[in-house]
Amino acid sequence: MNIILIGYGYWGPNIAKNAMASSEWNLKGICDISRERLEKAKILYGSSIEYYTDYVELLNKDDIDAFALAVKNDVGQKIAEDVLKAGKHLFMEKPLAKSVRDAELLKELANDNDVIIHVDHIMVFHPVIRKIKEILDSGELGELIYFDSSRVNLGPTIKEDVNAMWDLAVHDLAIIDHLSNGENAEHVNAVGLKGYAAREALTYLTIQYPNFIAMLKSSWISPLKERQMIIGGTKKMIVFDELKMDRLMVYDKGVNVINRKNNEYGKYEVEIRAGDMYSPNISMEDSLLNSLNHFANCIKSKEQPITGADQAIRILKVLEEADKDISRKRKPNE
Ligand SMILES: NC(=O)c1ccc[n+]([C@@H]2O[C@H](COP(=O)([O-])OP(=O)(O)OC[C@H]3O[C@@H](n4cnc5c(N)ncnc54)[C@H](O)[C@@H]3O)[C@@H](O)[C@H]2O)c1
């Protein structure tokens, strides 16, 4: 199938590289309003693909099956609407839209035009997350009780179109949504600090789900880089640290409830259990390539992607609620 990439800025080159590597896709061309960016692409791809500055001329071409969008959030909506209205499948960089309303409009357009929206919630296609899902679904972890995530760094850029939460916590929310089979959040609380940014450069987001809680830290103003998620289960616990050699550790640690009747003094109701730990073998895979291939398979099978519009809307609902909470708490001089 033929795909056009719109947006060859910071992230677009990764999509181009993986579309080239994919046996499912033929990267037909790249479109960017910046000629300078297109020149960069030409150095890599030469005459093997086509180059455009205006996507509108491409919408009605019969030999194009899909468009991948890697543009900033504030310009993405109009392009996404045009793509869907033209009856082309859409691979959209996260977040899908600026609001739940905009995302619902895109979902409606996709349904009306019988095309697929795939949101690049890339972590869902990470081999470690696939392994964690297997462990969870096997019952080894017991019931989910909490997620604790830290996604912090100094920059690398301070974005203007989104705050740190919309840029970073969106990954954690996609992981939680996937692992919990689409649980809806019940309560959302957040605080944020603008610092040097147009929007919040640091946010703390806490969420109550029906059976577990989550705490997500997102920052562009940390001296250290962290990409760590702790997943607590009633039986075992998991630590996923993207920056470590042993990226995934499963801990047989937890708390055992002691039957009061057997306790002589009735003093201790629980005991700490610290058993073994292990690190499962994880295959080396490119998550973005997996994401692009899943998109292609969904188009072929006419199935909804696991990171389709419905998942994106659940995630956007949390982000919107969190934004409202941050605004409510904002100091008058901020
Ligand atoms: N999945 C991930 O881990 C990940 C990582 C980084 C960025 N992203 C996402 O990728 C998207 C793009 O981010 P970025 O940092 O690459 O932005 P960027 O500003 O670096 O690049 C956007 C590019 O789009 C081009 N552009 C703008 N309007 C256009 C138009 N109408 N037609 C054609 N081209 C146009 C710009 O010239 C620019 O080259 C965002 O949605 C961001 O959230 C995802």
Side-chain angles (χ1 to χ4, degrees):
M1 285 183 294
N2 291 329
I3 191 165
I4 295 274
L5 168 64
I6 304 178
Y8 194 79
Y10 164 70
W11 189 249
N14 295 323
I15 298 181
K17 186 181 85 183
N18 281 288
M20 276 285 183
S22 169
S23 53
E24 302 289 339
W25 289 109
N26 172 38
L27 180 65
K28 186 104 172 87
I30 296 177
C31 173
D32 199 301
I33 44 169
S34 157
R35 289 189 189 276
E36 203 185 318
R37 293 306 306 165
L38 289 180
E39 288 306 318
K40 296 257 182 219
K42 275 183 197 164
I43 294 171
L44 286 177
Y45 303 115
S47 58
S48 64
I49 62 167
E50 292 152 8
Y51 302 91
Y52 305 91
T53 50
D54 185 0
Y55 71 90
V56 176
E57 61 180 289
L58 305 170
L59 292 171
N60 295 322
K61 286 196 168 207
D62 290 338
D63 59 348
I64 295 168
D65 301 286
F67 286 81
L69 260 66
V71 294
K72 286 266 191 284
N73 203 228
D74 43 10
V75 294
Q77 181 73 18
K78 167 83 171 75
I79 306 177
E81 285 178 23
D82 288 346
V83 164
L84 297 170
K85 281 181 196 161
K88 307 292 185 189
H89 302 288
L90 175 68
F91 179 98
M92 187 74 171
E93 260 315 322
K94 57 83 192 168
L96 171 60
K98 280 197 293 186
S99 66
V100 172
R101 213 171 135 196
D102 281 356
E104 279 170 347
L105 174 63
L106 295 181
K107 180 183 164 181
E108 210 176 294
L109 284 175
N111 287 343
D112 290 350
N113 291 285
D114 201 20
V115 286
I116 279 180
I117 296 178
H118 171 104
V119 187
D120 186 27
H121 291 149
I122 190 168
M123 292 307 293
V124 170
F125 302 97
H126 196 295
V128 169
I129 296 299
R130 194 172 61 229
K131 187 69 184 176
I132 294 174
K133 181 104 175 96
E134 274 169 36
I135 294 173
L136 198 58
D137 290 349
S138 74
E140 187 181 336
L141 224 61
E143 300 298 322
L144 275 175
I145 48 176
Y146 72 87
F147 288 85
D148 186 320
S149 173
S150 180
R151 214 169 268 279
V152 306
N153 196 5
L154 195 61
T157 50
I158 305 273
K159 298 192 172 173
E160 288 193 358
D161 59 330
V162 287
N163 65 18
M165 185 176 67
W166 282 67
D167 187 40
L168 300 169
V170 64
H171 290 298
D172 302 308
L173 292 169
I175 293 172
I176 294 171
D177 187 88
H178 180 56
L179 294 180
S180 70
N181 298 319
E183 281 282 17
N184 284 300
E186 286 180 336
H187 301 286
V188 175
N189 291 287
V191 286
L193 180 82
K194 277 199 181 170
Y196 330 92
R199 297 171 194 239
E200 289 74 21
L202 166 65
T203 58
Y204 298 130
L205 168 62
T206 54
I207 313 159
Q208 173 88 55
Y209 289 89
N211 300 307
F212 59 89
I213 59 174
M215 151 84 193
L216 314 178
K217 191 164 66 167
S218 313
S219 175
W220 292 321
I221 48 173
S222 162
L224 298 176
K225 180 169 182 175
E226 281 179 2
R227 291 285 184 269
Q228 191 193 67
M229 181 178 260
I230 304 174
I231 303 172
T234 48
K235 291 185 186 160
K236 289 187 183 176
M237 299 188 188
I238 276 179
V239 178
F240 172 26
D241 192 327
E242 281 183 63
L243 308 181
K244 284 208 174 131
M245 276 286 282
D246 290 326
R247 294 177 291 173
L248 175 60
M249 297 297 298
V250 183
Y251 291 84
D252 183 12
K253 291 189 176 193
V255 177
N256 288 343
V257 176
I258 299 169
N259 191 340
R260 252 181 205 272
K261 281 183 198 157
N262 297 337
N263 186 331
E264 204 179 329
Y265 304 107
K267 209 169 168 185
Y268 299 108
E269 293 177 274
V270 293
E271 72 176 4
I272 299 298
R273 190 186 70 259
D276 292 340
M277 63 186 111
Y278 72 94
S279 179
N281 184 39
I282 306 289
S283 56
M284 294 301 286
E285 292 172 31
D286 194 305
S287 313
L288 185 48
L289 180 62
N290 288 345
S291 177
L292 279 161
N293 286 343
H294 180 71
F295 175 47
N297 290 333
C298 288
I299 293 170
K300 285 196 245 169
S301 64
K302 291 185 179 288
E303 277 169 37
Q304 279 303 313
I306 46 177
T307 55
D310 286 335
Q311 185 191 59
I313 288 168
R314 284 192 295 275
I315 290 169
L316 288 168
K317 279 182 181 165
V318 174
L319 291 171
E320 249 182 28
E321 260 322 292
D323 263 357
K324 279 188 211 154
D325 201 32
I326 290 172
S327 300
R328 268 195 295 271
K329 293 165 183 163
R330 190 172 287 143
K331 299 252 167 52
N333 59 348
E334 269 196 301

